[in-house]
């Protein structure tokens, strides 16, 4: 595997000055969803995925630790993140209500709306809109893609909760979709949300050149297909009882299952807003760091918070004997890794206008410090 020059250059320029020579090695951030291979002689469940270099986790933990105070110094001042998120979440919620109305057959639309409008943090739509606005775009330009990304995220949650996958009864503090509507309706509701997401991007986007809309559709398709979310999910499920899961394989799972859609959200917004190719790649690294950060924090919360605090079943991964970052690294090393990921994500924003990038700084801070 040879990392692409654009990613290698972006990483060297953005974080090279903050690490001792020879210590920075980020092979899994080098190129989007390439360089991973499962041997045809060793079908799933996989035992190991080989990389050219050491894993991102090991390389990150080898770097000098960064304190939370040092990271916080980089955050823009006078930006009210909670207010920003509340406003964007309300805008996205209104748009989702309008684009997925109740119509015949009511059962599938009720099922779609039940999960789509159940609340949630709306992180992915907010990332898409914030990245678009960073380059002079508007909320209106990004909203169809932002809504589509939330539809796809909701689809992944509906399907992830099914008995054949994670078999969960609780999501966002409410019964999961299949518990209310039945399994076949839940499957079809997820399928419908996935298909409609692409239709919505293609037909509802305004004020954006058609070539950029096509690029966004391609990014979204890649993020959820066999090079993205679907790949991460199948490897995750196939290795639930595999005692040989190591950090490299765990990293593969979460770069695809979790980080891919966050990455797609940021990159899509940047494309819609008119970012250059170099700027897009810098934000791709930013988003991928945040994607892994989201999962590391999720794993930590799973073993340190109750079901009531999380709004979903706590300790489920531990009971299922699934590989997690606290399990493989230990709780303190997992926390250290999360802090390093946060620092690396923030470094990618250093060349952008601070006031316009403020929502992205805030989102990174939020992902790192969230409690549910």
């Amino acid at each position: 595997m040879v990392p692409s020059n654009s990613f290698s250059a972006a990483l060297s320029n953005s974080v090279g000055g903050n690490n001792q020579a020879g210590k920075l090695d980020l092979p899994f951030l080098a190129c989007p969803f390439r360089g991973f291979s499962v041997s045809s002689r060793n079908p799933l469940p996989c035992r190991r995925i080989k990389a050219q270099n050491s894993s991102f986790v090991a390389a990150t933990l080898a770097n000098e630790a960064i304190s939370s105070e040092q990271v916080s110094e980089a955050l823009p001042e006078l930006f009210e993140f909670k207010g920003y998120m509340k406003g964007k979440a309300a805008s996205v919620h209104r748009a989702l209500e309008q684009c997925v109305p109740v119509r015949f057959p009511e059962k599938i639309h009720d099922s779609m709306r039940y999960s789509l409008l159940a609340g949630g943090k709306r992180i992915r739509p907010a990332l898409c809109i914030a990245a678009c606005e960073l380059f002079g775009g508007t909320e209106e330009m990004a909203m169809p893609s932002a809504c589509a990304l939330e539809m796809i995220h909701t689809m992944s949650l509906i399907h992830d909760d099914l008995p054949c996958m994670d078999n969960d009864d609780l999501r966002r503090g409410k019964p999961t979709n299949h518990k209310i509507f039945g399994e076949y309706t839940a499957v079809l509701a997820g399928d419908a949300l996935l298909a409609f997401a692409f239709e919505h991007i293609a037909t509802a986007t305004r004020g954006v050149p058609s070539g950029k809309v096509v690029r966004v559709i391609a990014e979204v398709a890649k993020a959820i297909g066999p090079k993205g979310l679907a790949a991460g999910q199948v490897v995750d499920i196939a290795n639930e009882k595999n005692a040989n899961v190591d950090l490299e394989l765990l990293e593969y799972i979460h770069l695809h299952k979790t980080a891919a859609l966050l990455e797609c959200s940021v990159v899509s917004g940047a494309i819609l807003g008119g970012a250059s190719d170099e700027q897009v790649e810098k934000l791709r690294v930013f988003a991928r760091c945040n994607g892994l950060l989201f999962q590391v924090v999720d794993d930590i919360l799973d073993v340190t918070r109750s079901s009531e605090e999380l709004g979903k079943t706590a300790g489920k991964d531990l009971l299922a004997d699934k590989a997690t970052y606290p399990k493989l690294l230990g709780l303190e090393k997992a926390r250290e890794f999360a802090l390093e990921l946060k620092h690396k994500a923030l470094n990618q924003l250093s060349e952008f206008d601070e006031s316009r990038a403020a929502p992205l700084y805030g989102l990174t801070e939020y992902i790192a410090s969230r409690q549910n």
Side-chain angles (χ1 to χ4, degrees):
M1 177 183 75
V2 180
S4 64
N5 292 332
S6 61
F7 267 81
S8 298
L11 286 166
S12 298
N13 293 334
S14 60
V15 296
N18 295 303
N19 295 277
Q20 298 178 23
K23 283 193 174 184
L24 181 64
D25 186 354
L26 307 179
F28 287 88
L29 291 183
C31 54
F33 308 119
R34 296 198 302 272
F36 304 101
S37 62
V38 179
S39 172
S40 59
R41 297 180 183 177
N42 182 31
L44 296 175
C46 312
R47 287 183 296 176
R48 183 175 178 82
I49 292 179
K50 294 184 180 297
Q52 185 182 37
N53 301 303
S54 60
S55 80
F56 181 31
V57 180
T60 299
L61 290 175
N63 295 328
E64 183 178 354
I66 302 296
S67 71
S68 57
E69 289 77 14
Q70 288 174 294
V71 174
S72 296
E73 288 176 0
L75 298 176
E77 297 179 357
L78 303 177
F79 178 73
E80 216 297 287
F81 174 71
K82 289 184 179 179
Y84 176 88
M85 284 297 292
K86 186 176 180 180
K88 293 305 182 190
S91 296
V92 170
H93 191 87
R94 287 193 298 270
L96 289 170
E97 279 193 311
Q98 292 171 5
C99 66
V100 186
V102 178
R103 54 168 64 114
F104 183 83
E106 288 82 1
K107 186 171 185 179
I108 192 169
H109 288 92
D110 285 341
S111 178
M112 292 163 67
R113 288 170 60 88
Y114 175 80
S115 294
L116 188 62
L117 304 177
K121 305 171 186 72
R122 310 300 193 202
I123 290 174
R124 291 151 194 84
L127 279 170
C128 182
I129 294 169
C132 183
E133 292 176 335
L134 174 60
F135 299 102
T138 65
E139 180 178 294
E140 291 72 25
M141 292 165 62
M143 187 58 77
S145 294
C147 287
L149 289 160
E150 190 68 6
M151 293 176 205
I152 292 168
H153 174 56
T154 301
M155 172 277 297
S156 73
L157 299 182
I158 293 173
H159 286 180
D160 197 44
D161 291 334
L162 289 168
C164 63
M165 293 201 190
D166 275 4
N167 191 24
D168 218 329
D169 297 341
L170 192 67
R171 173 70 67 178
R172 292 171 176 167
K174 300 170 66 175
T176 48
N177 195 290
H178 67 275
K179 286 294 179 181
I180 299 296
F181 297 95
E183 289 182 38
Y184 87 87
T185 302
V187 170
L188 292 172
D191 292 345
L193 284 168
L194 177 58
F196 182 62
F198 288 100
E199 178 186 344
H200 194 58
I201 296 173
T203 61
T205 305
R206 300 286 183 270
V208 180
S210 59
K212 290 182 179 179
V213 177
V214 171
R215 281 184 67 190
V216 168
I217 290 172
E219 283 286 340
V220 175
K222 180 180 70 176
I224 61 178
K227 296 180 180 179
L229 190 153
Q233 182 76 328
V234 73
V235 176
D236 186 27
I237 293 172
N239 285 277
E240 281 187 354
K241 300 296 184 182
N242 182 5
N244 296 318
V245 172
D246 58 13
L247 286 171
E248 290 182 10
L249 185 54
L250 185 65
E251 187 174 289
Y252 176 92
I253 291 168
H254 294 309
L255 277 174
H256 292 71
K257 183 179 177 181
T258 304
L261 198 55
L262 282 169
E263 175 184 331
C264 174
S265 301
V266 175
V267 169
S268 295
I271 291 170
L272 293 166
S276 68
D277 289 347
E278 182 179 353
Q279 290 169 328
V280 166
E281 296 312 314
K282 203 155 190 68
L283 287 186
R284 194 184 294 279
V285 176
F286 160 83
R288 206 168 298 184
C289 286
N290 269 295
L292 274 184
L293 174 61
F294 190 95
Q295 186 60 50
V296 175
V297 171
D298 210 54
D299 286 354
I300 292 170
L301 291 174
D302 189 61
V303 296
T304 59
R305 293 291 185 269
S306 68
S307 297
E308 290 74 22
E309 290 171 314
L310 294 177
K312 61 182 180 179
T313 308
K316 196 164 179 292
D317 290 341
L318 185 64
L319 290 174
D321 199 29
K322 290 182 66 173
T324 65
Y325 285 101
K327 180 179 178 181
L328 296 184
L329 291 174
L331 188 58
E332 289 309 310
K333 280 292 185 183
R335 285 173 170 152
E336 181 183 337
F337 181 42
L339 187 59
E340 288 289 341
L341 285 168
K342 172 182 170 180
H343 178 65
K344 284 178 170 54
L346 292 176
N347 273 341
Q348 308 309 310
L349 303 177
S350 60
E351 71 177 43
F352 299 119
D353 178 82
E354 191 175 83
S355 60
R356 285 188 172 182
L360 298 180
Y361 280 99
L363 280 161
T364 302
E365 181 71 38
Y366 166 75
I367 289 172
S369 62
R370 67 192 181 91
Q371 300 299 308
N372 57 36

